[in-house]
Amino acid sequence: MTSHIGSRIKTWASYLRGVYEYNVLGRFRTVPLRGLVIDVTYRCNSRCLMCSIWKSPPQAELTTAQFDAVLSDPLFRTVERLMISGGEPTLRSDLLELVTVFLKRMPSLAALSLITNGLAPERVVAVYGDIARLCAERGIRLSISVSLDGIGEVHDQMRGIPGAFARVTQTLEGLGKLREQYGFYLGVGCVVCHLNLHHLPELEEWCRQRNLDLGHQLVGFHETYVDNLAQRDQLEFAEDDKPALYALLARLSANQSLRNPMACYWRDMLEMYSQGQARQSPCAFLVDSMVLDATGNVRLCETAENLGNCLDSGSCSSLYYGQKARAMRQALASGPCRTCNSGCMVNIAWRKDLFKYLRFLRQGD
Protein backbone atom coordinates (compact mmCIF):
# COMPACT_ATOMS: atom_id res chain seq x y z
CA MET A 1 0.00 0.00 0.00
CA THR A 2 2.80 2.43 0.93
CA SER A 3 4.57 1.68 -2.36
CA HIS A 4 1.31 2.27 -4.28
CA ILE A 5 0.71 5.62 -2.56
CA GLY A 6 4.30 6.67 -3.15
CA SER A 7 4.00 5.78 -6.83
CA ARG A 8 0.87 7.91 -7.21
CA ILE A 9 2.54 10.85 -5.47
CA LYS A 10 5.51 10.59 -7.84
CA THR A 11 3.15 10.41 -10.83
CA TRP A 12 1.23 13.55 -9.92
CA ALA A 13 4.43 15.38 -9.02
CA SER A 14 5.65 14.52 -12.52
CA TYR A 15 2.46 15.91 -14.06
CA LEU A 16 2.75 19.15 -12.08
CA ARG A 17 6.37 19.61 -13.12
CA GLY A 18 5.30 18.77 -16.67
CA VAL A 19 2.79 21.63 -16.65
CA TYR A 20 5.69 23.98 -15.95
CA GLU A 21 7.96 22.34 -18.52
CA TYR A 22 5.35 22.26 -21.30
CA ASN A 23 4.03 25.78 -20.74
CA VAL A 24 7.01 27.75 -19.44
CA LEU A 25 10.43 26.11 -19.66
CA GLY A 26 9.79 24.60 -23.10
CA ARG A 27 9.29 28.07 -24.56
CA PHE A 28 12.90 28.97 -23.82
CA ARG A 29 14.94 25.77 -24.03
CA THR A 30 14.75 22.02 -24.58
CA VAL A 31 13.04 20.18 -21.74
CA PRO A 32 14.92 17.31 -20.01
CA LEU A 33 14.16 13.87 -21.40
CA ARG A 34 11.18 12.29 -19.60
CA GLY A 35 9.81 9.74 -22.05
CA LEU A 36 11.77 7.19 -24.07
CA VAL A 37 10.97 4.48 -26.60
CA ILE A 38 13.66 1.87 -27.19
CA ASP A 39 13.25 -0.36 -30.24
CA VAL A 40 15.45 -3.19 -29.02
CA THR A 41 15.35 -5.09 -32.33
CA TYR A 42 14.02 -4.87 -35.88
CA ARG A 43 13.67 -8.64 -36.10
CA CYS A 44 10.07 -9.82 -36.16
CA ASN A 45 8.29 -13.18 -36.33
CA SER A 46 5.09 -11.62 -37.68
CA ARG A 47 4.30 -10.70 -41.29
CA CYS A 48 1.95 -7.77 -40.69
CA LEU A 49 0.18 -6.15 -43.62
CA MET A 50 0.40 -2.71 -42.01
CA CYS A 51 4.11 -2.85 -41.21
CA SER A 52 7.22 -3.79 -43.17
CA ILE A 53 9.67 -4.02 -40.29
CA TRP A 54 9.81 -7.78 -40.76
CA LYS A 55 11.26 -7.18 -44.22
CA SER A 56 14.24 -5.28 -42.78
CA PRO A 57 17.62 -6.80 -43.66
CA PRO A 58 19.68 -8.13 -40.75
CA GLN A 59 21.39 -5.35 -38.82
CA ALA A 60 24.07 -5.31 -36.15
CA GLU A 61 22.19 -4.65 -32.90
CA LEU A 62 23.68 -2.97 -29.87
CA THR A 63 24.84 -5.55 -27.36
CA THR A 64 23.87 -5.37 -23.70
CA ALA A 65 27.28 -3.86 -22.96
CA GLN A 66 26.87 -1.27 -25.71
CA PHE A 67 23.41 -0.30 -24.47
CA ASP A 68 24.92 0.04 -20.99
CA ALA A 69 27.57 2.40 -22.34
CA VAL A 70 25.09 4.45 -24.40
CA LEU A 71 22.69 4.82 -21.48
CA SER A 72 25.45 5.97 -19.14
CA ASP A 73 24.84 9.37 -20.77
CA PRO A 74 23.37 11.71 -18.08
CA LEU A 75 20.49 12.38 -20.48
CA PHE A 76 18.77 9.18 -19.34
CA ARG A 77 18.84 9.93 -15.60
CA THR A 78 15.62 11.95 -15.92
CA VAL A 79 13.64 9.35 -17.90
CA GLU A 80 10.38 8.52 -16.12
CA ARG A 81 8.52 6.50 -18.77
CA LEU A 82 10.08 3.78 -20.91
CA MET A 83 8.42 1.82 -23.70
CA ILE A 84 10.22 -1.24 -25.07
CA SER A 85 9.23 -2.02 -28.63
CA GLY A 86 10.59 -3.49 -31.86
CA GLY A 87 10.26 -5.56 -34.06
CA GLU A 88 9.31 -8.21 -31.54
CA PRO A 89 11.22 -7.52 -28.30
CA THR A 90 11.20 -11.11 -27.09
CA LEU A 91 13.33 -12.17 -30.05
CA ARG A 92 16.26 -10.72 -28.09
CA SER A 93 17.63 -13.55 -26.01
CA ASP A 94 19.14 -10.97 -23.64
CA LEU A 95 15.93 -8.98 -23.08
CA LEU A 96 15.89 -9.51 -19.32
CA GLU A 97 19.53 -8.42 -19.11
CA LEU A 98 18.69 -5.36 -21.21
CA VAL A 99 15.83 -4.39 -18.92
CA THR A 100 18.15 -4.76 -15.93
CA VAL A 101 20.54 -2.31 -17.61
CA PHE A 102 17.70 0.09 -18.44
CA LEU A 103 16.52 0.15 -14.84
CA LYS A 104 20.05 0.72 -13.59
CA ARG A 105 20.71 3.60 -15.97
CA MET A 106 17.31 5.29 -15.46
CA PRO A 107 17.07 5.97 -11.70
CA SER A 108 13.98 8.19 -12.16
CA LEU A 109 12.03 5.50 -14.03
CA ALA A 110 8.48 5.10 -12.71
CA ALA A 111 6.68 3.28 -15.54
CA LEU A 112 7.71 0.58 -18.02
CA SER A 113 5.61 -0.48 -21.01
CA LEU A 114 6.19 -3.68 -22.96
CA ILE A 115 4.71 -4.56 -26.35
CA THR A 116 4.53 -8.00 -27.92
CA ASN A 117 2.79 -9.70 -30.84
CA GLY A 118 2.29 -12.75 -28.61
CA LEU A 119 3.25 -15.26 -31.30
CA ALA A 120 5.66 -17.20 -29.06
CA PRO A 121 3.55 -17.83 -25.93
CA GLU A 122 6.08 -19.76 -23.85
CA ARG A 123 8.88 -17.32 -24.56
CA VAL A 124 6.73 -14.21 -23.97
CA VAL A 125 5.24 -15.46 -20.70
CA ALA A 126 8.62 -16.60 -19.37
CA VAL A 127 10.62 -13.46 -20.08
CA TYR A 128 7.81 -11.00 -19.29
CA GLY A 129 7.22 -12.87 -16.04
CA ASP A 130 10.86 -12.29 -15.08
CA ILE A 131 10.53 -8.61 -16.00
CA ALA A 132 7.31 -8.34 -13.98
CA ARG A 133 9.11 -9.69 -10.95
CA LEU A 134 11.95 -7.22 -11.46
CA CYS A 135 9.55 -4.28 -11.72
CA ALA A 136 7.60 -5.40 -8.65
CA GLU A 137 10.80 -5.57 -6.63
CA ARG A 138 11.72 -2.02 -7.64
CA GLY A 139 8.30 -0.40 -7.41
CA ILE A 140 8.03 0.33 -11.14
CA ARG A 141 4.57 0.31 -12.74
CA LEU A 142 4.48 -2.26 -15.54
CA SER A 143 2.12 -2.30 -18.50
CA ILE A 144 2.01 -5.07 -21.10
CA SER A 145 0.15 -4.72 -24.40
CA VAL A 146 -0.43 -7.69 -26.69
CA SER A 147 -1.27 -7.02 -30.34
CA LEU A 148 -4.66 -8.34 -31.43
CA ASP A 149 -6.54 -6.94 -34.43
CA GLY A 150 -9.58 -9.22 -34.57
CA ILE A 151 -10.98 -12.63 -33.81
CA GLY A 152 -9.75 -15.74 -35.60
CA GLU A 153 -9.03 -15.30 -39.29
CA VAL A 154 -9.27 -11.50 -39.11
CA HIS A 155 -6.18 -11.35 -36.91
CA ASP A 156 -4.41 -14.12 -38.84
CA GLN A 157 -4.92 -12.18 -42.09
CA MET A 158 -3.66 -8.88 -40.74
CA ARG A 159 -0.63 -10.43 -39.09
CA GLY A 160 0.12 -12.73 -42.03
CA ILE A 161 0.54 -15.80 -39.81
CA PRO A 162 -1.88 -18.76 -39.90
CA GLY A 163 -2.88 -19.65 -36.35
CA ALA A 164 -1.72 -16.30 -34.95
CA PHE A 165 -4.98 -15.77 -33.05
CA ALA A 166 -4.66 -19.10 -31.24
CA ARG A 167 -1.10 -18.26 -30.19
CA VAL A 168 -2.09 -14.80 -28.94
CA THR A 169 -4.94 -16.34 -26.94
CA GLN A 170 -2.47 -18.68 -25.26
CA THR A 171 -0.12 -15.77 -24.52
CA LEU A 172 -2.90 -13.71 -22.95
CA GLU A 173 -3.95 -16.64 -20.77
CA GLY A 174 -0.40 -17.03 -19.49
CA LEU A 175 0.06 -13.31 -18.90
CA GLY A 176 -3.33 -13.19 -17.17
CA LYS A 177 -2.05 -15.63 -14.54
CA LEU A 178 1.05 -13.51 -14.06
CA ARG A 179 -1.14 -10.41 -13.69
CA GLU A 180 -2.85 -12.06 -10.71
CA GLN A 181 0.56 -12.60 -9.14
CA TYR A 182 2.25 -9.27 -9.86
CA GLY A 183 -0.64 -6.85 -10.41
CA PHE A 184 0.60 -5.23 -13.63
CA TYR A 185 -1.62 -3.74 -16.33
CA LEU A 186 -2.47 -6.10 -19.17
CA GLY A 187 -4.26 -4.95 -22.29
CA VAL A 188 -4.76 -5.57 -25.98
CA GLY A 189 -3.59 -3.22 -28.73
CA CYS A 190 -5.44 -3.10 -32.04
CA VAL A 191 -4.46 -1.38 -35.29
CA VAL A 192 -7.72 -0.21 -36.89
CA CYS A 193 -7.87 -0.21 -40.68
CA HIS A 194 -10.21 -1.02 -43.56
CA LEU A 195 -9.72 -4.76 -43.07
CA ASN A 196 -10.95 -5.01 -39.47
CA LEU A 197 -13.04 -1.87 -38.86
CA HIS A 198 -16.37 -3.67 -39.22
CA HIS A 199 -15.22 -6.61 -37.07
CA LEU A 200 -14.31 -4.55 -34.00
CA PRO A 201 -17.55 -5.24 -32.04
CA GLU A 202 -16.60 -8.92 -31.91
CA LEU A 203 -13.12 -8.08 -30.63
CA GLU A 204 -14.47 -5.63 -28.06
CA GLU A 205 -16.87 -8.24 -26.66
CA TRP A 206 -14.09 -10.85 -26.60
CA CYS A 207 -11.90 -8.49 -24.54
CA ARG A 208 -14.74 -7.53 -22.19
CA GLN A 209 -15.36 -11.18 -21.36
CA ARG A 210 -11.69 -11.56 -20.37
CA ASN A 211 -11.30 -8.31 -18.44
CA LEU A 212 -8.86 -6.90 -21.00
CA ASP A 213 -8.74 -3.23 -21.95
CA LEU A 214 -8.72 -2.71 -25.70
CA GLY A 215 -6.54 0.09 -27.03
CA HIS A 216 -7.12 1.34 -30.56
CA GLN A 217 -4.63 2.92 -32.97
CA LEU A 218 -5.81 4.15 -36.35
CA VAL A 219 -3.59 2.92 -39.14
CA GLY A 220 -0.99 5.44 -40.25
CA PHE A 221 1.14 5.49 -43.37
CA HIS A 222 4.84 6.37 -43.29
CA GLU A 223 7.91 5.82 -45.40
CA THR A 224 10.03 5.59 -42.25
CA TYR A 225 9.85 2.93 -39.52
CA VAL A 226 6.77 0.87 -40.60
CA ASP A 227 7.46 1.69 -44.29
CA ASN A 228 3.93 0.78 -45.43
CA LEU A 229 3.07 3.22 -48.21
CA ALA A 230 2.85 0.34 -50.70
CA GLN A 231 -0.01 -1.19 -48.68
CA ARG A 232 -2.05 2.00 -48.45
CA ASP A 233 -4.71 1.04 -51.00
CA GLN A 234 -5.36 -2.21 -49.13
CA LEU A 235 -5.52 -0.71 -45.63
CA GLU A 236 -6.83 2.84 -45.88
CA PHE A 237 -10.42 3.56 -44.89
CA ALA A 238 -12.77 3.64 -47.88
CA GLU A 239 -15.65 6.04 -48.40
CA ASP A 240 -18.09 3.34 -47.30
CA ASP A 241 -16.11 2.94 -44.05
CA LYS A 242 -16.69 6.51 -42.88
CA PRO A 243 -20.00 5.98 -41.00
CA ALA A 244 -18.51 3.10 -39.00
CA LEU A 245 -15.25 4.98 -38.44
CA TYR A 246 -16.99 8.12 -37.21
CA ALA A 247 -19.24 6.05 -34.96
CA LEU A 248 -16.19 4.36 -33.44
CA LEU A 249 -14.44 7.67 -32.82
CA ALA A 250 -17.59 9.20 -31.33
CA ARG A 251 -17.92 6.25 -28.95
CA LEU A 252 -14.26 6.42 -27.91
CA SER A 253 -14.54 10.17 -27.31
CA ALA A 254 -17.47 9.86 -24.91
CA ASN A 255 -17.04 10.87 -21.25
CA GLN A 256 -14.44 13.58 -21.81
CA SER A 257 -13.10 14.86 -18.51
CA LEU A 258 -9.91 15.72 -16.66
CA ARG A 259 -9.72 12.06 -15.66
CA ASN A 260 -10.03 10.79 -19.24
CA PRO A 261 -7.51 12.48 -21.55
CA MET A 262 -7.77 9.73 -24.17
CA ALA A 263 -11.39 10.70 -24.81
CA CYS A 264 -10.14 14.16 -25.79
CA TYR A 265 -7.64 12.59 -28.17
CA TRP A 266 -10.41 10.57 -29.84
CA ARG A 267 -12.61 13.65 -30.20
CA ASP A 268 -9.63 15.33 -31.82
CA MET A 269 -9.31 12.39 -34.23
CA LEU A 270 -13.04 12.55 -35.02
CA GLU A 271 -12.75 16.22 -35.92
CA MET A 272 -9.59 15.59 -37.93
CA TYR A 273 -11.08 12.72 -39.96
CA SER A 274 -14.62 14.05 -40.40
CA GLN A 275 -13.94 17.79 -40.71
CA GLY A 276 -10.35 17.96 -41.92
CA GLN A 277 -9.22 19.95 -38.90
CA ALA A 278 -5.57 19.99 -37.88
CA ARG A 279 -4.60 17.87 -34.88
CA GLN A 280 -4.89 19.66 -31.56
CA SER A 281 -3.70 16.87 -29.26
CA PRO A 282 -0.24 17.62 -27.82
CA CYS A 283 2.65 15.30 -28.56
CA ALA A 284 5.22 14.30 -25.95
CA PHE A 285 7.81 13.71 -28.67
CA LEU A 286 7.81 17.41 -29.52
CA VAL A 287 8.62 18.34 -25.94
CA ASP A 288 10.25 15.73 -23.69
CA SER A 289 10.50 12.34 -25.41
CA MET A 290 12.50 10.52 -28.10
CA VAL A 291 13.25 7.15 -29.69
CA LEU A 292 16.48 5.13 -29.50
CA ASP A 293 16.72 2.11 -31.77
CA ALA A 294 18.65 -1.15 -31.73
CA THR A 295 21.44 0.22 -33.91
CA GLY A 296 22.02 3.44 -31.95
CA ASN A 297 19.94 5.73 -34.15
CA VAL A 298 18.07 8.54 -32.40
CA ARG A 299 14.76 9.97 -33.63
CA LEU A 300 12.32 12.43 -32.12
CA CYS A 301 9.50 9.98 -32.85
CA GLU A 302 9.05 6.69 -34.68
CA THR A 303 8.08 8.36 -37.96
CA ALA A 304 10.66 11.18 -37.96
CA GLU A 305 13.97 11.08 -39.77
CA ASN A 306 17.10 10.06 -37.86
CA LEU A 307 18.82 12.80 -35.91
CA GLY A 308 21.97 10.73 -36.06
CA ASN A 309 23.62 7.73 -34.47
CA CYS A 310 24.82 8.05 -30.89
CA LEU A 311 27.81 5.78 -31.61
CA ASP A 312 29.00 8.28 -34.21
CA SER A 313 28.06 11.51 -32.45
CA GLY A 314 29.54 10.55 -29.11
CA SER A 315 26.37 10.85 -27.05
CA CYS A 316 22.59 10.90 -27.21
CA SER A 317 22.65 14.22 -25.34
CA SER A 318 24.31 15.97 -28.26
CA LEU A 319 21.56 14.73 -30.57
CA TYR A 320 18.59 15.38 -28.26
CA TYR A 321 19.71 18.91 -27.32
CA GLY A 322 21.36 19.80 -30.64
CA GLN A 323 20.39 22.44 -33.16
CA LYS A 324 19.18 19.83 -35.64
CA ALA A 325 16.70 18.49 -33.08
CA ARG A 326 15.44 22.00 -32.27
CA ALA A 327 14.88 22.75 -35.94
CA MET A 328 13.22 19.38 -36.51
CA ARG A 329 10.79 19.91 -33.62
CA GLN A 330 9.68 23.19 -35.18
CA ALA A 331 9.34 21.66 -38.64
CA LEU A 332 7.34 18.69 -37.35
CA ALA A 333 5.01 20.88 -35.29
CA SER A 334 4.09 23.04 -38.27
CA GLY A 335 3.96 20.17 -40.78
CA PRO A 336 3.51 16.41 -40.29
CA CYS A 337 2.24 16.70 -36.70
CA ARG A 338 -0.84 18.58 -37.87
CA THR A 339 -2.18 15.43 -39.54
CA CYS A 340 -0.57 12.76 -37.33
CA ASN A 341 -2.98 10.23 -35.81
CA SER A 342 -0.57 8.59 -33.37
CA GLY A 343 -1.82 8.26 -29.80
CA CYS A 344 1.53 7.26 -28.32
CA MET A 345 1.99 8.91 -24.88
CA VAL A 346 -0.82 11.36 -25.70
CA ASN A 347 -2.52 10.77 -22.34
CA ILE A 348 0.66 11.98 -20.61
CA ALA A 349 1.04 14.96 -22.92
CA TRP A 350 -2.57 16.10 -22.40
CA ARG A 351 -2.13 16.20 -18.62
CA LYS A 352 1.11 18.14 -18.87
CA ASP A 353 -0.24 20.57 -21.45
CA LEU A 354 -2.92 21.38 -18.89
CA PHE A 355 -4.10 24.76 -20.12
CA LYS A 356 -4.60 23.45 -23.65
CA TYR A 357 -6.38 20.45 -22.12
CA LEU A 358 -8.82 22.71 -20.25
CA ARG A 359 -9.48 24.84 -23.34
CA PHE A 360 -10.16 21.74 -25.41
CA LEU A 361 -12.57 20.41 -22.82
CA ARG A 362 -14.47 23.72 -22.82
CA GLN A 363 -14.74 23.63 -26.61
CA GLY A 364 -16.53 20.30 -26.34
CA ASP A 365 -19.15 21.52 -23.85
Side-chain angles (χ1 to χ4, degrees):
M1 178 64 73
T2 301
S3 175
H4 178 70
I5 294 174
S7 176
R8 290 184 67 86
I9 291 174
K10 286 174 61 176
T11 297
W12 285 105
S14 171
Y15 289 152
L16 290 174
R17 186 188 59 241
V19 172
Y20 164 72
E21 291 178 341
Y22 272 56
N23 294 276
V24 180
L25 182 63
R27 298 178 183 272
F28 301 100
R29 66 180 181 85
T30 303
V31 172
L33 184 67
R34 306 294 182 191
L36 177 65
V37 176
I38 300 183
D39 297 322
V40 293
T41 184
Y42 285 123
R43 288 174 286 152
C44 192
N45 52 350
S46 185
R47 298 294 181 263
C48 299
L49 297 179
M50 57 282 190
C51 175
S52 297
I53 286 178
W54 57 273
K55 299 178 183 178
S56 301
Q59 302 179 66
E61 299 174 345
L62 297 180
T63 64
T64 303
Q66 286 177 311
F67 263 115
D68 192 21
V70 168
L71 296 175
S72 67
D73 186 326
L75 175 72
F76 299 101
R77 294 175 185 169
T78 58
V79 171
E80 299 170 340
R81 311 173 304 278
L82 172 63
M83 176 185 293
I84 296 178
S85 185
E88 169 53 36
T90 60
L91 291 182
R92 289 220 39 158
S93 60
D94 59 347
L95 184 58
L96 179 60
E97 290 76 15
L98 283 178
V99 172
T100 303
V101 167
F102 298 162
L103 300 190
K104 177 185 73 172
R105 292 301 187 183
M106 301 176 199
S108 300
L109 192 67
L112 173 64
S113 298
L114 300 171
I115 298 173
T116 179
N117 59 32
L119 292 180
E122 292 184 2
R123 169 66 181 164
V124 172
V125 172
V127 69
Y128 280 10
D130 288 337
I131 294 173
R133 174 184 49 78
L134 196 61
C135 288
E137 292 172 351
R138 305 194 182 193
I140 294 173
R141 296 192 313 278
L142 175 64
S143 300
I144 299 178
S145 178
V146 182
S147 300
L148 182 59
D149 302 314
I151 304 301
E153 292 183 2
V154 176
H155 182 67
D156 292 0
Q157 178 190 11
M158 288 189 59
R159 296 288 162 167
I161 301 291
F165 176 74
R167 298 191 211 174
V168 170
T169 299
Q170 185 179 344
T171 297
L172 286 167
E173 289 174 352
L175 292 175
K177 295 176 182 178
L178 288 175
R179 176 174 60 174
E180 295 175 1
Q181 180 179 358
Y182 293 109
F184 56 78
Y185 170 88
L186 175 62
V188 165
C190 170
V191 177
V192 182
C193 67
H194 167 71
L195 296 176
N196 67 344
L197 173 63
H198 300 281
H199 299 281
L200 290 181
E202 304 165 24
L203 178 60
E204 292 167 354
E205 179 59 28
W206 190 90
C207 290
R208 272 194 296 269
Q209 292 177 2
R210 291 159 178 80
N211 192 28
L212 293 167
D213 288 338
L214 175 60
H216 304 73
Q217 173 58 57
L218 301 178
V219 66
F221 300 97
H222 309 282
E223 59 184 356
T224 56
Y225 190 54
V226 293
D227 188 21
N228 63 353
L229 295 183
Q231 293 89 275
R232 186 162 195 158
D233 290 343
Q234 185 178 9
L235 301 172
E236 194 165 29
F237 300 112
E239 188 67 27
D240 291 345
D241 291 331
K242 289 183 178 179
L245 174 62
Y246 298 163
L248 170 67
L249 297 177
R251 180 158 45 83
L252 293 175
S253 64
N255 303 318
Q256 297 170 55
S257 70
L258 278 173
R259 298 173 61 88
N260 190 9
M262 287 305 295
C264 290
Y265 160 74
W266 289 116
R267 191 188 105 207
D268 191 19
M269 292 299 100
L270 176 59
E271 293 172 353
M272 191 171 85
Y273 274 80
S274 65
Q275 303 173 30
Q277 295 187 11
R279 172 179 170 139
Q280 296 188 59
S281 296
C283 178
F285 295 95
L286 287 178
V287 183
D288 66 356
S289 302
M290 74 173 204
V291 178
L292 172 66
D293 80 1
T295 67
N297 288 325
V298 172
R299 301 190 298 277
L300 291 183
C301 74
E302 293 285 25
T303 60
E305 296 180 3
N306 285 339
L307 285 172
N309 190 289
C310 61
L311 300 181
D312 299 329
S313 67
S315 73
C316 288
S317 288
S318 62
L319 297 173
Y320 178 77
Y321 286 109
Q323 178 58 41
K324 183 177 180 180
R326 289 192 291 270
M328 188 176 292
R329 289 186 186 98
Q330 294 176 354
L332 289 171
S334 61
C337 289
R338 294 172 60 83
T339 56
C340 178
N341 65 7
S342 174
C344 186
M345 295 190 187
V346 72
N347 59 326
I348 305 294
W350 265 126
R351 289 190 171 106
K352 291 184 175 183
D353 207 344
L354 179 62
F355 303 117
K356 185 175 185 179
Y357 190 4
L358 294 173
R359 288 195 301 271
F360 192 80
L361 282 172
R362 284 200 299 269
Q363 292 171 9
D365 292 340

